[in-house]
Amino acid sequence: MDLQAITLKAAYKARGGLIRVKLTVKSEVIEEIRFSGDFFMYPEEALEKLEEKLKGTPAREEEILKVIKDFYKETKVLTPGVKPEDWLETIKRALHAGETG
């Protein structure tokens, strides 16, 4: 069992802009996550809500995507040119090939 927290970073260029992520994973669960980049999200404060929803999510693609899709349904957030799969792709890049740091 992995008890050590690992911090990972990655970036992904979605149609609507660049998404960067920095996340901490411990015991295969997302402990902390922060997004940045040049994308748009309306309302803007929804980004913090997405980050909060992802905390505690197992670091498995299908579970991450479900949380993101549920977030879109619940909040009716608008992200021009960025879809749930783009957030997942950014997180996947961090989990599979991100820089430690």
Side-chain angles (χ1 to χ4, degrees), residues 84-99:
E85 292 80 7
D86 294 323
W87 301 103
L88 174 63
E89 180 61 30
T90 309
I91 294 168
K92 276 176 23 180
R93 287 177 182 219
L95 292 173
H96 298 299
E99 306 163 3

Side-chain angles (χ1 to χ4, degrees), residues 20-57:
R20 288 187 199 88
V21 70
K22 180 177 181 180
L23 64 117
T24 303
V25 176
K26 184 174 182 179
S27 299
E28 298 183 26
V29 172
I30 297 172
E31 213 174 58
E32 287 291 327
I33 187 163
R34 290 283 176 247
F35 291 105
S36 62
D38 63 0
F39 55 86
F40 291 96
M41 180 176 275
Y42 306 105
E44 289 178 27
E45 59 271 11
L47 185 60
E48 288 179 23
K49 292 177 183 173
L50 175 59
E51 293 166 345
E52 278 301 313
K53 285 243 181 229
L54 286 166
K55 288 180 186 176
T57 301

Side-chain angles (χ1 to χ4, degrees), residues 49-50 53 66-77:
K49 292 177 183 173
L50 175 59
K53 285 243 181 229
K66 181 184 182 333
V67 168
I68 297 168
K69 284 184 172 183
D70 288 349
F71 170 78
Y72 270 72
K73 285 178 195 164
E74 292 166 14
T75 63
K76 307 289 190 240
V77 68

